[in-house]
Amino acid sequence: MSLGSLLLKLQDIDLALTRNRAALNAMPEIAELAKKRRAHQKLKADATKLYAQRKDIETYLKELEGKEMDANDDVRIAQQNTDSSDYRAVQQLEIELSNLAKQLDKIAFDRRDYEAKLADIKAKEEYLAEYTAKFEAAVIADTKAAREKAAGLMAEVEKAQRQREHILEQLPEDMRVRYEKAAETHNGLAVERLEGNVPSVCRMALQASSMSDLARTSSEVVECPYCHRMLVMGEDGEES
Ligand SMILES: [Zn+2]
């Protein structure tokens, strides 16, 4: 491959390298995944909150159960300890039983209330668990896809680096130095080729005097009089 072709190829590789490195560093999938991880933490926090609410209600229901047993015990004890021949004692028992019945009503009412709340929380927990499972599956799939994409870009970068090394080995030291310097100055676009009398990057048509100056030099790679990029005079096609 001619010197000019090598330089142009090196430039193509370097431009692709820069593109792929930038794409790798700025993968939108990574930002998206970070956002999803934050959303996942929120789902977990919601689940913890619901769990705490359910535990509280289960505790209240247990307490109600204890109160109900106590009240029923009280009913039994009051009935057993009452002398049914004693009018005042029977009257007293009626009052006591009426109070206990009210307590039991209140307990039953509270229990219905808490049980409804418990059912509501359980439904919410179930929905959240289902949603979280789907969300996690999606995050796993997204992570896999992002890893594959990153691996693909990384493979491209490594391949380009090997190609780059191979071309650098074929370039004389002074050309390497000129290329690196021009690439830095011109943001990667170090080399242009002459198409007719027009350089391919700066597109400033060379005047006849410049053309004849350039024609006199025997070197294949000169410097563009306008933009000072490396200017490839003739190219030997794309074969390597
Ligand atoms: Zn130029």
Side-chain angles (χ1 to χ4, degrees):
M1 213 191 273
S2 74
L3 204 53
S5 297
L6 282 173
L7 282 168
L8 286 163
K9 182 128 203 248
L10 179 60
Q11 170 161 281
D12 283 348
I13 290 170
D14 280 354
L15 289 173
L17 250 178
T18 305
R19 253 194 328 269
N20 282 335
R21 281 198 183 116
L24 200 54
N25 287 333
M27 269 178 59
E29 292 86 347
I30 301 296
E32 198 56 41
L33 275 172
K35 219 187 288 171
K36 280 180 181 161
R37 264 190 282 275
R38 283 194 293 277
H40 185 249
Q41 279 171 353
K42 167 101 175 48
L43 290 176
K44 286 283 165 194
D46 288 348
T48 306
K49 220 182 287 169
L50 283 175
Y51 176 82
Q53 286 173 358
R54 176 162 59 80
K55 283 289 146 191
D56 280 350
I57 289 177
E58 282 169 354
T59 304
Y60 295 148
L61 281 169
K62 268 250 162 344
E63 282 170 13
L64 283 179
E65 207 175 296
K67 276 187 193 167
E68 188 179 43
M69 274 161 62
D70 288 348
N72 282 326
D73 281 348
D74 287 349
V75 169
R76 238 185 340 270
I77 290 163
Q79 281 169 335
Q80 279 166 3
N81 292 351
T82 300
D83 177 359
S84 55
S85 62
D86 181 343
Y87 174 73
R88 276 183 57 94
V90 170
Q91 215 172 24
Q92 189 58 39
L93 174 66
E94 270 171 19
I95 293 167
E96 223 170 295
L97 289 180
S98 159
N99 285 337
L100 287 167
K102 276 181 203 153
Q103 269 184 40
L104 285 166
D105 274 353
K106 172 88 171 70
I107 287 168
F109 178 83
D110 286 351
R111 178 188 284 133
R112 276 196 297 279
D113 186 34
Y114 285 132
E115 274 171 352
K117 280 181 185 153
L118 184 63
D120 181 47
I121 285 176
K122 277 182 174 169
K124 278 183 186 159
E125 277 187 307
E126 213 170 289
Y127 175 81
L128 185 64
E130 234 171 78
Y131 182 84
T132 304
K134 275 187 207 148
F135 191 87
E136 283 170 351
V139 169
I140 287 168
D142 288 352
T143 305
K144 192 167 168 266
R147 277 211 192 106
E148 276 165 11
K149 186 179 166 187
L153 284 170
M154 233 124 84
E156 286 290 319
V157 164
E158 278 161 18
K159 187 176 149 209
Q161 274 168 335
R162 282 195 300 276
Q163 289 175 332
R164 181 174 208 282
E165 288 306 312
H166 182 64
I167 289 179
L168 285 178
E169 279 166 17
Q170 300 171 65
L171 283 179
E173 175 67 22
D174 64 317
M175 278 292 157
R176 250 184 275 173
V177 173
R178 271 179 70 188
Y179 173 80
E180 299 289 359
K181 234 177 123 181
E184 212 185 301
T185 310
H186 298 285
N187 204 15
L189 275 175
V191 193
E192 54 186 349
R193 70 162 74 79
L194 196 57
E195 293 163 346
N197 66 335
V198 180
S200 58
V201 177
C202 71
R203 311 297 304 171
M204 299 290 289
L206 299 185
Q207 286 166 3
S209 59
S210 296
M211 284 300 285
S212 60
D213 282 351
L214 294 178
R216 265 198 298 280
T217 68
S218 57
S219 49
E220 188 196 344
V221 180
V222 297
E223 187 181 298
C224 172
Y226 292 111
C227 68
H228 304 291
R229 286 186 170 88
M230 299 173 91
L231 182 59
V232 175
M233 299 292 287
E235 227 197 312
D236 62 356
E238 279 302 296
E239 81 277 7
S240 42

mmCIF file of all heavy atoms in Angstrom, residues 9-33:
data_model
loop_
_atom_site.group_PDB
_atom_site.id
_atom_site.type_symbol
_atom_site.label_atom_id
_atom_site.label_comp_id
_atom_site.label_asym_id
_atom_site.label_seq_id
_atom_site.Cartn_x
_atom_site.Cartn_y
_atom_site.Cartn_z
ATOM 1 N N LYS A 9 -5.951 5.471 5.354
ATOM 2 C CA LYS A 9 -6.543 4.341 6.072
ATOM 3 C C LYS A 9 -6.404 4.550 7.582
ATOM 4 O O LYS A 9 -7.343 4.318 8.351
ATOM 5 C CB LYS A 9 -5.833 3.053 5.632
ATOM 6 C CG LYS A 9 -6.395 1.808 6.261
ATOM 7 C CD LYS A 9 -6.738 0.776 5.205
ATOM 8 C CE LYS A 9 -7.786 -0.192 5.743
ATOM 9 N NZ LYS A 9 -7.324 -1.523 5.958
ATOM 10 N N LEU A 10 -5.200 5.005 7.976
ATOM 11 C CA LEU A 10 -4.947 5.267 9.399
ATOM 12 C C LEU A 10 -5.947 6.293 9.926
ATOM 13 O O LEU A 10 -6.510 6.148 11.014
ATOM 14 C CB LEU A 10 -3.511 5.777 9.577
ATOM 15 C CG LEU A 10 -3.077 6.118 11.005
ATOM 16 C CD1 LEU A 10 -3.180 4.903 11.918
ATOM 17 C CD2 LEU A 10 -1.646 6.673 11.020
ATOM 18 N N GLN A 11 -6.193 7.312 9.115
ATOM 19 C CA GLN A 11 -7.139 8.355 9.534
ATOM 20 C C GLN A 11 -8.554 7.787 9.689
ATOM 21 O O GLN A 11 -9.243 8.094 10.669
ATOM 22 C CB GLN A 11 -7.140 9.483 8.508
ATOM 23 C CG GLN A 11 -8.251 10.480 8.729
ATOM 24 C CD GLN A 11 -7.962 11.794 8.031
ATOM 25 O OE1 GLN A 11 -7.193 12.596 8.518
ATOM 26 N NE2 GLN A 11 -8.578 11.982 6.873
ATOM 27 N N ASP A 12 -8.958 6.951 8.730
ATOM 28 C CA ASP A 12 -10.295 6.324 8.831
ATOM 29 C C ASP A 12 -10.405 5.510 10.118
ATOM 30 O O ASP A 12 -11.411 5.572 10.826
ATOM 31 C CB ASP A 12 -10.540 5.394 7.633
ATOM 32 C CG ASP A 12 -10.893 6.189 6.385
ATOM 33 O OD1 ASP A 12 -11.171 7.401 6.521
ATOM 34 O OD2 ASP A 12 -10.864 5.600 5.277
ATOM 35 N N ILE A 13 -9.358 4.745 10.395
ATOM 36 C CA ILE A 13 -9.366 3.911 11.603
ATOM 37 C C ILE A 13 -9.452 4.791 12.845
ATOM 38 O O ILE A 13 -10.237 4.529 13.763
ATOM 39 C CB ILE A 13 -8.101 3.030 11.653
ATOM 40 C CG1 ILE A 13 -8.173 1.951 10.571
ATOM 41 C CG2 ILE A 13 -7.931 2.390 13.035
ATOM 42 C CD1 ILE A 13 -6.886 1.189 10.376
ATOM 43 N N ASP A 14 -8.654 5.850 12.863
ATOM 44 C CA ASP A 14 -8.627 6.719 14.047
ATOM 45 C C ASP A 14 -9.962 7.432 14.248
ATOM 46 O O ASP A 14 -10.408 7.603 15.390
ATOM 47 C CB ASP A 14 -7.489 7.745 13.926
ATOM 48 C CG ASP A 14 -6.155 7.115 14.303
ATOM 49 O OD1 ASP A 14 -6.164 5.954 14.762
ATOM 50 O OD2 ASP A 14 -5.118 7.775 14.138
ATOM 51 N N LEU A 15 -10.590 7.833 13.161
ATOM 52 C CA LEU A 15 -11.897 8.502 13.290
ATOM 53 C C LEU A 15 -12.933 7.518 13.855
ATOM 54 O O LEU A 15 -13.725 7.866 14.730
ATOM 55 C CB LEU A 15 -12.358 9.059 11.942
ATOM 56 C CG LEU A 15 -11.562 10.281 11.436
ATOM 57 C CD1 LEU A 15 -11.985 10.644 10.011
ATOM 58 C CD2 LEU A 15 -11.746 11.490 12.357
ATOM 59 N N ALA A 16 -12.884 6.294 13.344
ATOM 60 C CA ALA A 16 -13.818 5.276 13.845
ATOM 61 C C ALA A 16 -13.530 4.952 15.315
ATOM 62 O O ALA A 16 -14.440 4.780 16.126
ATOM 63 C CB ALA A 16 -13.707 4.010 12.996
ATOM 64 N N LEU A 17 -12.240 4.914 15.648
ATOM 65 C CA LEU A 17 -11.835 4.665 17.040
ATOM 66 C C LEU A 17 -12.411 5.736 17.963
ATOM 67 O O LEU A 17 -12.976 5.429 19.014
ATOM 68 C CB LEU A 17 -10.312 4.727 17.136
ATOM 69 C CG LEU A 17 -9.546 3.428 17.381
ATOM 70 C CD1 LEU A 17 -8.054 3.715 17.403
ATOM 71 C CD2 LEU A 17 -9.976 2.752 18.657
ATOM 72 N N THR A 18 -12.242 6.987 17.559
ATOM 73 C CA THR A 18 -12.752 8.103 18.369
ATOM 74 C C THR A 18 -14.262 7.989 18.538
ATOM 75 O O THR A 18 -14.794 8.156 19.639
ATOM 76 C CB THR A 18 -12.407 9.446 17.689
ATOM 77 O OG1 THR A 18 -11.002 9.485 17.472
ATOM 78 C CG2 THR A 18 -12.824 10.629 18.549
ATOM 79 N N ARG A 19 -14.931 7.681 17.421
ATOM 80 C CA ARG A 19 -16.400 7.536 17.462
ATOM 81 C C ARG A 19 -16.813 6.424 18.418
ATOM 82 O O ARG A 19 -17.693 6.596 19.254
ATOM 83 C CB ARG A 19 -16.916 7.210 16.062
ATOM 84 C CG ARG A 19 -17.641 8.350 15.388
ATOM 85 C CD ARG A 19 -18.438 7.905 14.164
ATOM 86 N NE ARG A 19 -17.884 6.793 13.420
ATOM 87 C CZ ARG A 19 -17.042 6.901 12.385
ATOM 88 N NH1 ARG A 19 -16.638 8.092 11.995
ATOM 89 N NH2 ARG A 19 -16.597 5.842 11.749
ATOM 90 N N ASN A 20 -16.157 5.273 18.278
ATOM 91 C CA ASN A 20 -16.539 4.115 19.105
ATOM 92 C C ASN A 20 -16.205 4.326 20.573
ATOM 93 O O ASN A 20 -16.946 3.898 21.453
ATOM 94 C CB ASN A 20 -15.860 2.850 18.584
ATOM 95 C CG ASN A 20 -16.563 2.308 17.354
ATOM 96 O OD1 ASN A 20 -17.755 2.559 17.164
ATOM 97 N ND2 ASN A 20 -15.858 1.594 16.509
ATOM 98 N N ARG A 21 -15.068 4.988 20.826
ATOM 99 C CA ARG A 21 -14.716 5.267 22.229
ATOM 100 C C ARG A 21 -15.745 6.212 22.841
ATOM 101 O O ARG A 21 -16.174 6.027 23.981
ATOM 102 C CB ARG A 21 -13.328 5.898 22.311
ATOM 103 C CG ARG A 21 -12.211 4.889 22.174
ATOM 104 C CD ARG A 21 -10.896 5.473 22.703
ATOM 105 N NE ARG A 21 -9.807 4.534 22.509
ATOM 106 C CZ ARG A 21 -8.756 4.762 21.713
ATOM 107 N NH1 ARG A 21 -8.680 5.894 21.027
ATOM 108 N NH2 ARG A 21 -7.810 3.854 21.600
ATOM 109 N N ALA A 22 -16.142 7.238 22.070
ATOM 110 C CA ALA A 22 -17.133 8.200 22.573
ATOM 111 C C ALA A 22 -18.470 7.494 22.810
ATOM 112 O O ALA A 22 -19.133 7.707 23.827
ATOM 113 C CB ALA A 22 -17.303 9.348 21.589
ATOM 114 N N ALA A 23 -18.838 6.629 21.865
ATOM 115 C CA ALA A 23 -20.110 5.899 21.998
ATOM 116 C C ALA A 23 -20.088 5.015 23.241
ATOM 117 O O ALA A 23 -21.076 4.899 23.967
ATOM 118 C CB ALA A 23 -20.356 5.056 20.749
ATOM 119 N N LEU A 24 -18.925 4.418 23.482
ATOM 120 C CA LEU A 24 -18.765 3.547 24.641
ATOM 121 C C LEU A 24 -18.900 4.345 25.941
ATOM 122 O O LEU A 24 -19.536 3.912 26.896
ATOM 123 C CB LEU A 24 -17.391 2.886 24.566
ATOM 124 C CG LEU A 24 -17.131 1.622 25.369
ATOM 125 C CD1 LEU A 24 -18.159 0.559 25.069
ATOM 126 C CD2 LEU A 24 -15.736 1.092 25.064
ATOM 127 N N ASN A 25 -18.284 5.537 25.946
ATOM 128 C CA ASN A 25 -18.313 6.364 27.163
ATOM 129 C C ASN A 25 -19.668 6.994 27.411
ATOM 130 O O ASN A 25 -19.990 7.337 28.545
ATOM 131 C CB ASN A 25 -17.259 7.472 27.072
ATOM 132 C CG ASN A 25 -15.867 6.913 27.247
ATOM 133 O OD1 ASN A 25 -15.684 5.885 27.887
ATOM 134 N ND2 ASN A 25 -14.887 7.567 26.649
ATOM 135 N N ALA A 26 -20.434 7.187 26.339
ATOM 136 C CA ALA A 26 -21.704 7.910 26.495
ATOM 137 C C ALA A 26 -22.896 7.034 26.158
ATOM 138 O O ALA A 26 -23.900 7.512 25.661
ATOM 139 C CB ALA A 26 -21.689 9.146 25.595
ATOM 140 N N MET A 27 -22.768 5.743 26.436
ATOM 141 C CA MET A 27 -23.890 4.851 26.101
ATOM 142 C C MET A 27 -25.160 5.278 26.845
ATOM 143 O O MET A 27 -25.194 5.275 28.071
ATOM 144 C CB MET A 27 -23.528 3.405 26.449
ATOM 145 C CG MET A 27 -22.887 2.653 25.296
ATOM 146 S SD MET A 27 -22.419 0.969 25.760
ATOM 147 C CE MET A 27 -23.991 0.300 26.261
ATOM 148 N N PRO A 28 -26.228 5.646 26.117
ATOM 149 C CA PRO A 28 -27.457 6.071 26.791
ATOM 150 C C PRO A 28 -28.030 4.946 27.647
ATOM 151 O O PRO A 28 -28.715 5.188 28.639
ATOM 152 C CB PRO A 28 -28.408 6.433 25.646
ATOM 153 C CG PRO A 28 -27.846 5.778 24.438
ATOM 154 C CD PRO A 28 -26.359 5.646 24.654
ATOM 155 N N GLU A 29 -27.724 3.702 27.263
ATOM 156 C CA GLU A 29 -28.244 2.550 28.023
ATOM 157 C C GLU A 29 -27.746 2.581 29.473
ATOM 158 O O GLU A 29 -28.446 2.134 30.381
ATOM 159 C CB GLU A 29 -27.800 1.237 27.366
ATOM 160 C CG GLU A 29 -28.436 0.961 26.013
ATOM 161 C CD GLU A 29 -27.690 1.606 24.858
ATOM 162 O OE1 GLU A 29 -26.819 2.479 25.113
ATOM 163 O OE2 GLU A 29 -27.982 1.256 23.711
ATOM 164 N N ILE A 30 -26.530 3.099 29.678
ATOM 165 C CA ILE A 30 -25.954 3.119 31.031
ATOM 166 C C ILE A 30 -26.737 4.103 31.915
ATOM 167 O O ILE A 30 -27.107 3.784 33.040
ATOM 168 C CB ILE A 30 -24.453 3.507 30.976
ATOM 169 C CG1 ILE A 30 -23.670 2.512 30.115
ATOM 170 C CG2 ILE A 30 -23.862 3.596 32.376
ATOM 171 C CD1 ILE A 30 -23.621 1.098 30.629
ATOM 172 N N ALA A 31 -27.003 5.291 31.360
ATOM 173 C CA ALA A 31 -27.778 6.298 32.107
ATOM 174 C C ALA A 31 -29.182 5.766 32.384
ATOM 175 O O ALA A 31 -29.732 5.929 33.478
ATOM 176 C CB ALA A 31 -27.845 7.596 31.318
ATOM 177 N N GLU A 32 -29.739 5.096 31.366
ATOM 178 C CA GLU A 32 -31.090 4.533 31.481
ATOM 179 C C GLU A 32 -31.125 3.474 32.607
ATOM 180 O O GLU A 32 -32.056 3.444 33.410
ATOM 181 C CB GLU A 32 -31.457 3.900 30.133
ATOM 182 C CG GLU A 32 -32.923 3.664 29.917
ATOM 183 C CD GLU A 32 -33.753 4.927 30.067
ATOM 184 O OE1 GLU A 32 -33.345 6.018 29.591
ATOM 185 O OE2 GLU A 32 -34.816 4.816 30.684
ATOM 186 N N LEU A 33 -30.092 2.665 32.657
ATOM 187 C CA LEU A 33 -30.027 1.624 33.686
ATOM 188 C C LEU A 33 -29.896 2.231 35.083
ATOM 189 O O LEU A 33 -30.495 1.733 36.034
ATOM 190 C CB LEU A 33 -28.852 0.679 33.413
ATOM 191 C CG LEU A 33 -29.147 -0.462 32.435
ATOM 192 C CD1 LEU A 33 -27.875 -1.219 32.092
ATOM 193 C CD2 LEU A 33 -30.171 -1.425 33.022
#
